[in-house]
Amino acid sequence: MEKQILIKADNLTHSYGGKEVLDHITFQVEKGRVIGLLGPSGAGKTTLVNIMTRQIKPTGGTVKTAGEERGGKNVPVTGIMMDSFGLYERLSVWDNMKIFAKIYGVSGERIEELLEKAELVQAGKTLVSRLSKGMRNRVNFCRALLKKADILYLDEPTSGLDPATTEKIHELILKEKNAGTTVFLTTHNMHEAELLCDDILLLNEGKIVEHGSPKEICRKYNSVNSIEVVLKNGETHIIPNAGESAAVLAKWMDAEEILSMHSSEPDLEKVFMLLTGRKLNGNEADYE
Amino acid sequence: MNNIRIMIWKQLKDTLKNKTIFIQFVMFPVLGIFMTKAVDIEGMPPHFFVNMFAAMYVGMAPLTSMAAIISEEKEKNTLRVLLMAKVTPWQYLLGIGCYVFFFCMLGAAVFCSLLGEGTAFYDRCEFLLVMAAGITASLMAGAAIGAGSRNQMAATSVTVPVMMVFSFLPMLSMFNETIAKVAKYTYTEQIRRMISALGEGQGENGNPWVIGLNMLVFGGLFWGLYRRQGLA
């Protein structure tokens, strides 16, 4: 099946007060995939999302969606969840949703459907000012989905949330993914990226330092090339991932001694540190 | 048109729970009722308190409300979300402006009812027309302040002195000739003069050109700030 490109960013640059925030960024987003933009704070993630959602104009380069390329016909509908809530605190959850439902021409049933999906029905009449951060995030997420978007931009959707709420947001994102929505997600949480994303763009100081699927990226930087074997007697062995280990592995397998076996490929955090010398939370790495 | 209606509906819901804005709308009309009913000094000009408080109301309520609403929406990012939802800046401003105008005209109607039984229907209409012009000028000033401020605190630091000038000068000019010489260039002073000249009042006629000029200045200021930094 032919891949359908939904977003094309070509040679994007952006600068604030002489400082280059984005440096010649080029990438494509396929329809129906979850793309993760992974990088530490200040890497340029929000600027890139702001450009893609037309909130700011880039200093150079272009972003085009599939519809625009076809001359403005069938431009994909976008839903945006920003890092700040942008909710009316003196209004109830329902009224906040109703304002945007009226703007989009969406029915009250759609609001009900979304609140139910996000387990917010009980909080419908509650003022936003009385909601927890996690619940506000879910309201924000529901608002982004009001229009039945083709592309969903999520800027740090789980930043500062507790694990239970984070899991709920992840479930909602996965539901959207399964429904065929293209999701563009920015995060500095590598577990989130590994869990949700089909493709990853690793961004550091305004440059894409690596891209591909999480597994591809991790495999690419598997320089140690070894296997960790834990035996049922508690012993841990690290053996080369090569023919020379076949005999010893066969022996353990034959004796049914193996409890677990892992390849030594690094996770995204380690790859990022390897490439930039920085951690995804923004600190300097402890090792070279 | 639909988006303008939505902005009015949103603001109506919000203001009922926003005491700061709500007080702006009711403070001077209530004060006007109280003073007119409670104070009656011999030799006092006709509808003295209406003249004074109506001009102060025009200089204060629409200006502070408009600036407060816009700057709060900017600070809390709700304005940005609205604009991303394809509400145009003009739809937003018209919606908020219509809402504030309507509420301030309700206040003006209260002042109008205080003009006294002898006031002719024609004079009452003229009063409301003059108030409408003043409220519009104030709305433009408030929109300029809101558009030029990043957050509520920045807006308040500009709103308070501007509001003090426009709302207190008409009152002070009644007691001090030097102040009156300066105040005559403000729209609120011209409104006070127009109101005092109504019916059997003996005040000097106000100059509508000053009101128009004030509006032009506020409009120009708003346009300049809007061009430079947009609305959100």
Side-chain angles (χ1 to χ4, degrees):
Chain A
M1 204 172 80
E2 199 186 329
K3 290 174 184 174
Q4 192 184 340
I5 304 297
L6 211 58
I7 310 167
K8 242 184 204 175
D10 188 25
N11 219 14
L12 280 180
T13 55
H14 196 70
S15 51
Y16 288 119
K19 197 198 165 202
E20 196 94 331
V21 185
L22 294 178
D23 188 4
H24 300 93
I25 304 264
T26 299
F27 63 90
Q28 294 182 338
V29 177
E30 275 176 49
K31 191 182 175 189
R33 294 181 74 83
V34 179
I35 312 299
L37 186 61
L38 199 61
S41 300
K45 302 190 296 288
T46 300
T47 307
L48 183 55
V49 170
N50 287 347
I51 288 173
M52 293 176 75
T53 53
R54 311 290 196 265
Q55 293 179 65
I56 51 174
K57 282 184 183 167
T59 317
T62 54
V63 181
K64 281 187 178 162
T65 51
E68 287 170 322
E69 293 226 304
R70 290 193 296 266
K73 286 175 187 169
N74 304 320
V75 175
V77 177
T78 54
I80 304 163
M81 178 187 179
M82 296 192 301
D83 53 345
S84 59
F85 299 119
L87 296 167
Y88 291 98
E89 298 204 347
R90 287 182 291 269
L91 300 187
S92 67
V93 171
W94 182 266
D95 284 339
N96 264 280
M97 296 291 282
K98 201 172 167 187
I99 291 169
F100 290 88
K102 280 182 169 185
I103 293 170
Y104 298 140
V106 170
S107 70
E109 282 162 17
R110 175 73 178 153
I111 301 177
E112 275 171 23
E113 181 193 324
L114 287 168
L115 292 185
E116 203 174 303
K117 216 183 205 181
E119 295 172 31
L120 282 168
V121 178
Q122 302 285 333
K125 286 180 182 168
T126 311
L127 298 184
V128 167
S129 59
R130 292 187 189 150
L131 296 181
S132 66
K133 195 182 173 193
M135 288 172 97
R136 285 178 200 214
N137 239 7
R138 278 188 278 157
V139 177
N140 200 1
F141 188 83
C142 288
R143 187 177 59 189
L145 294 180
L146 263 175
K147 269 192 299 184
K148 287 197 175 165
D150 299 310
I151 311 169
L152 196 57
Y153 291 97
L154 307 174
D155 194 3
E156 310 264 2
T158 57
S159 173
L161 297 184
D162 61 89
T165 316
T166 299
E167 204 181 317
K168 268 183 192 155
I169 298 273
H170 286 171
E171 279 171 20
L172 291 171
I173 296 171
L174 285 170
K175 272 183 197 168
E176 284 309 306
K177 179 190 173 180
N178 294 337
T181 310
T182 307
V183 182
F184 195 90
L185 170 88
T186 75
T187 182
H188 56 248
N189 180 340
M190 59 132 184
H191 296 297
E192 187 166 271
E194 279 175 341
L195 177 74
L196 302 172
C197 300
D198 300 312
D199 296 304
I200 299 270
L201 301 167
L202 286 180
L203 194 70
N204 186 47
E205 292 175 351
K207 288 179 186 166
I208 292 178
V209 290
E210 192 53 86
H211 64 94
S213 76
K215 278 186 181 169
E216 268 171 23
I217 294 175
C218 294
R219 272 202 297 265
K220 190 174 171 185
Y221 290 89
N222 186 5
S223 56
V224 182
N225 204 24
S226 57
I227 297 170
E228 184 188 279
V229 183
V230 180
L231 302 180
K232 285 178 181 166
N233 64 10
E235 283 177 19
T236 303
H237 297 271
I238 300 192
I239 55 172
N241 184 9
E244 62 195 78
S245 306
V248 68
L249 264 177
K251 193 187 97 186
W252 284 330
M253 287 172 92
D254 195 40
E256 294 182 1
E257 279 185 280
I258 296 173
L259 182 71
S260 68
M261 194 160 73
H262 300 280
S263 63
S264 62
E265 61 200 40
D267 58 20
L268 286 171
E269 176 94 47
K270 281 180 186 154
V271 171
F272 193 82
M273 282 198 283
L274 198 73
L275 288 168
T276 66
R278 294 174 76 188
K279 287 181 178 176
L280 280 167
N281 63 13
N283 299 330
E284 294 298 315
D286 299 330
Y287 64 88
E288 289 298 311
Chain B
M1 192 63 193
N2 185 44
N3 283 353
I4 297 171
R5 266 206 310 269
I6 297 165
M7 291 304 103
I8 295 172
W9 176 82
K10 169 204 68 101
Q11 207 51 51
L12 183 67
K13 281 245 164 189
D14 190 59
T15 307
L16 293 174
K17 288 162 190 159
N18 185 352
K19 287 173 195 146
T20 323
I21 300 288
F22 195 68
I23 286 169
Q24 299 286 336
F25 291 137
V26 298
M27 185 174 71
F28 279 108
V30 169
L31 211 58
I33 295 170
F34 178 76
M35 296 299 275
T36 306
K37 303 286 178 199
V39 183
D40 187 15
I41 304 166
E42 208 179 313
M44 199 163 66
H47 46 82
F48 175 79
F49 288 114
V50 174
N51 297 351
M52 192 164 74
F53 288 133
M56 288 177 85
Y57 182 63
V58 161
M60 194 182 276
L63 191 147
T64 49
S65 308
M66 195 72 178
I69 291 168
I70 296 173
S71 59
E72 186 186 8
E73 293 231 37
K74 281 174 90 168
E75 184 176 325
K76 297 194 171 158
N77 261 326
T78 47
L79 181 51
R80 199 166 138 208
V81 180
L82 285 174
L83 298 181
M84 282 196 298
K86 306 287 181 223
V87 174
T88 67
W90 300 109
Q91 285 172 337
Y92 171 79
L93 286 170
L94 272 172
I96 302 298
C98 286
Y99 166 81
V100 176
F101 181 83
F102 173 76
F103 263 79
C104 289
M105 282 309 286
L106 285 182
V110 172
F111 283 116
C112 187
S113 71
L114 296 173
L115 281 173
E117 285 172 12
T119 312
F121 176 74
Y122 173 82
D123 287 330
R124 285 184 193 274
C125 291
E126 197 182 331
F127 173 84
L128 288 175
L129 204 67
V130 169
M131 288 294 279
I135 289 166
T136 309
S138 260
L139 285 176
M140 291 166 82
I145 294 170
S149 311
R150 281 182 186 274
N151 51 43
Q152 289 184 85
M153 196 178 273
T156 309
S157 66
V158 181
T159 307
V160 171
V162 172
M163 175 267 286
M164 296 277 270
V165 167
F166 286 119
S167 59
F168 285 97
L169 274 186
M171 181 184 72
L172 298 173
S173 71
M174 291 162 76
F175 310 111
N176 184 307
E177 278 189 18
T178 315
I179 292 176
K181 280 179 191 165
V182 180
K184 71 179 178 188
Y185 297 108
T186 64
Y187 67 103
T188 43
E189 168 65 3
Q190 295 307 324
I191 280 160
R192 188 194 63 75
R193 289 181 185 187
M194 285 175 172
I195 296 169
S196 10
L198 285 176
E200 67 215 57
Q202 288 154 10
E204 52 179 314
N205 277 322
N207 185 346
W209 289 106
V210 174
I211 300 174
L213 197 69
N214 274 235
M215 279 184 179
L216 265 180
V217 171
F218 299 144
L221 201 63
F222 171 79
W223 184 243
L225 288 163
Y226 175 74
R227 285 286 299 270
R228 205 178 67 183
Q229 58 197 57
L231 200 57

